[in-house]
Each structure stands twice: as structure tokens, then as C-alpha cells.
Amino acid sequence: MERSGETAINIPESNSAKHKSVPLASATTKAVPLPLPQPAWKRGVSIFDFILRVCALVAALAATATMGTTDQTLPFFTQFFQFQASYDDLPTFTFFVVANAIASGYLLLSMPFSIVTIVRPHAAGVKLLLLILDTVVMAFTTAAAAAAAAIVYLAHNGNSNTNWFAICQQFNDFCQRVSGAVVGSFIAAVILICLVVLSAVALRRH
Amino acid sequence: MERSGETAINIPESNSAKHKSVPLASATTKAVPLPLPQPAWKRGVSIFDFILRVCALVAALAATATMGTTDQTLPFFTQFFQFQASYDDLPTFTFFVVANAIASGYLLLSMPFSIVTIVRPHAAGVKLLLLILDTVVMAFTTAAAAAAAAIVYLAHNGNSNTNWFAICQQFNDFCQRVSGAVVGSFIAAVILICLVVLSAVALRRH
């Protein structure tokens, strides 16, 4: 599009990087190879992509660690019960830990590929792969965060219609840690959405 | 990339559609304009995109309608209570209805834009816009479906650690309808993921 005003014959952009040996026929015409302005901002986008990926990894790891180490024992007990709350009392929180651990692992493994796109801005296949996997992992992280948020809301407020009582009055410390983990997971999901949008914009003008 | 084996000078693809008047200089060389194979499969992808969009709309609308009309009154009551279960007894289900209604509205509004990409396969800006909005709506739908699924799981199985009892023994009909709505919403989310992947693949070779 940006070359629509020209009338001279250009060597196609996508080939000019590989064909250093310009064919003789083009040397006789008035063709001037373009200076390839794209890699400059494309590299910037790739570096920003890498930074966002590090941030998402930190958020997902923090969410996993916070939820995974949540365990509160109340300082009183009866003959039959010792009141204790742990994340694996609720299946949703177990799913949350697993999903965020998988997301952390994926983000760690995707970093070498992100570096490849910094070094080689024309590697469209790698970018496409990252975009697709980012989308899937984003959906996974969002699902885990939303499910945990629904349970945390219930733990805080309870529900009188179904006779589910709020447990956060007793397990205050537990609830605070769990809420923090949910917030961390949502931050990771939002950063992953940004990564998908960024990849799509970078992929457009390849 | 697919033209890397050639040595003749080609007219850049992106211009050949607009420049019907080929410059005189190129007529003297051996340049043969390529037959532009891209719009054919791109149009196929756009039509498939439209069909998937209709499917996602049906799934999201079905989820909204099923959840929104769920209401069960038990055939017995005490002096103080009439046992009744409705979707707005639980805030998560209200969020579910709102989120799926928004997703349905977006999918309906996005259809004209999808038709534009069928008619004009080179409209990259429209495709990019659809990809970004699809991603956001997909995250939204996934969050609603996951949150509702966590509550439905609790309603079916209860949780002995927190003294939340299963309510599906009493409200069996209610639980079945709600489960159906959650499944519909997950189907819509999966179709939206497919739409994002499809758009990304189509955007790559623009």
C-alpha cells in the first residue's frame, strides 16, 4: 500500500533479504531497492512482547505459589474436628493451581521463541505459533481465575438462598491469600490478551 | 517466500490489483504477472469464519435463553418459605446471563464486518479489528462459563469441608437446565478460539 504511488519496478520486499545477488536484468532498469523500514519497529514490538511475557510469568508464578502454599489452621479444636482450611479442600482451587502452573511452564518455554522473533523479525511462522498458543493458554488462565473468583466470592459473602455460609469470618487469612492469588491470575490473563493483540498487529504487515 | 526460486522481476503483488496500467518498462522485460492465487482460499476462510460466527451466536443465545428462563418452584412449602430456585439467586449466574447476552450482541454486530471480509478479501484492517474484539469477547465468555461451571459443580456435589450442601437433590430440574447453559457457553468460547486462530492464519499472508 505504501508504495502505490511508484511507477518504477521494485524487487519484491520479501525476497530482497535473501537474494543478495540481484539478477542482471533488474540492474539495467531504474529499480532502487527499498531500505526495508519494517524490522526496526518490528524488533521493538518483539522486545516489548518479551518484556510482557516476563511480567505474565511473574504474575502466574506468584498466583500459583500463593494459592499452593495457602493453609490455615484455627487455634481451637473440638473432640472431632480440627478446623483447617487448605487450597485442596476445594476442587476449583486445585484446578486453579494446576492451570496456573501450566501457564507458567508455557510462558517459560515460549521465551526462547520470543527471543527468536527479536533476532529474526521476519520469522512469521514462529509468531503465528506463539499467537495461537497464547490464545489457548489465555483462555485456560481466564477460566481458572474466573472459577476461583466465583468460589472466593461465595466464601466471602455466602449465599442465603442455597444456605451456603460465608467461611471467611473464620478463615480470614486463608481468604485473603486466595483473593491475592486470583488477582495475580487475572493480571496474567490480561497480559496474555495484550500479547495476542500485539502479535496480531505485528503479523498484519509481514 | 513462494517466489524465491524466480529470477525474473515481478510486479509487487500488493499493487497489481490497483495498477491495471502496467508501466511500459516492465513490458520489455520477461516479467509475467502472477495469477494472484490468494483471494480464492482467503474467501473460503472468510466464508468459514462467517459460518463459525453463526454457530457461536446460536450457542451463546441458547446459553443466555436457557439460563435466563431457569426457574423452579418446589411443590411443597412451609409456613415461612416457599422453596424456589431462580438463576438470579446466585450472582454468578446473573453475570453469566449478562456476559452471554453481550457476547451474542457482539457476534450479531460482527456479522456485517465478516461479510465485508468475504466481499473484499484484502481488507486487513477489518480482519485485525475482528481478531482483537473476538479475543476480548472470548475471554469474557470463557470467564462467565468457568465461573458458572464452578458454582454448578458445587451445586451438584457440595463441599463437606466448608459445609456447603449440594442443592441438586432438591432442585434437580434447575441444575439440569443450568448445566446445559454452561455447556452452551463453553461451546461458544471454543468456537471463538477457532475464530481467533483462523483470523490469525488468514492475516499472516496478507
Side-chain angles (χ1 to χ4, degrees), chain B residues 74-158:
Chain B
L74 293 190
F76 53 86
F77 49 89
T78 68
Q79 193 176 2
F80 304 106
F81 288 112
Q82 180 167 27
F83 296 100
Q84 188 181 24
S86 166
Y87 77 93
D88 52 4
D89 287 338
L90 287 154
T92 309
F93 289 162
T94 310
F95 170 62
F96 180 91
V97 171
V98 171
N100 275 287
I102 290 175
S104 304
Y106 161 74
L107 285 166
L108 196 66
L109 288 175
S110 73
M111 279 178 186
F113 293 96
S114 182
I115 292 171
V116 165
T117 64
I118 296 176
V119 178
R120 296 189 58 188
H122 280 291
V126 175
K127 280 183 191 169
L128 187 66
L129 185 73
L130 281 182
L131 196 157
I132 293 171
L133 291 178
D134 280 354
T135 308
V136 173
V137 170
M138 186 268 281
F140 207 54
T141 312
T142 310
I151 299 295
V152 168
Y153 180 85
L154 208 60
H156 271 289
N157 295 358

Side-chain angles (χ1 to χ4, degrees), chain A residues 1-15 18-19 23 25-27 29-30 84 88-92 122 124-125 128 131-132 135-136 138-140 142-144 146-148 150-151 153-155 158-159 161-167 171 186 193 196-197 200-201 203-206, chain B residues 1-15 18-19 23 25-27 29-30 84 88-92 122 124-125 128 131-132 135-136 138-140 142-144 146-148 150-151 153-155 158-159 161-167 171 186 193 196-197 200-201 203-206:
Chain A
M1 293 289 178
E2 66 267 30
R3 294 177 297 162
S4 60
E6 297 181 28
T7 52
I9 301 159
N10 294 315
I11 298 164
E13 260 182 31
S14 58
N15 293 343
K18 293 198 167 185
H19 289 269
S26 70
T29 63
K30 294 180 293 181
Q84 187 180 25
D88 54 3
D89 288 339
L90 287 154
T92 308
H122 280 289
L128 187 66
L131 195 158
I132 293 171
T135 308
V136 174
M138 187 269 281
F140 207 53
T142 309
I151 298 296
Y153 179 85
L154 207 59
N159 190 295
N161 298 303
T162 52
N163 276 327
W164 293 337
F165 301 110
I167 59 163
F171 296 101
F186 269 118
I193 291 181
V196 170
V197 170
V201 172
L203 211 57
R204 184 190 165 188
R205 282 255 167 252
H206 209 280
Chain B
M1 294 288 178
E2 68 268 30
R3 292 177 296 160
S4 59
E6 298 181 27
T7 51
I9 302 158
N10 294 314
I11 300 162
E13 260 182 31
S14 57
N15 293 342
K18 293 195 169 188
H19 288 270
S26 71
T29 63
K30 293 180 295 179
Q84 188 181 24
D88 52 4
D89 287 338
L90 287 154
T92 309
H122 280 291
L128 187 66
L131 196 157
I132 293 171
T135 308
V136 173
M138 186 268 281
F140 207 54
T142 310
I151 299 295
Y153 180 85
L154 208 60
N159 190 295
N161 298 303
T162 53
N163 275 328
W164 293 337
F165 301 109
I167 59 163
F171 296 101
F186 268 118
I193 291 180
V196 170
V197 170
V201 171
L203 210 60
R204 184 190 165 190
R205 281 256 168 252
H206 208 279

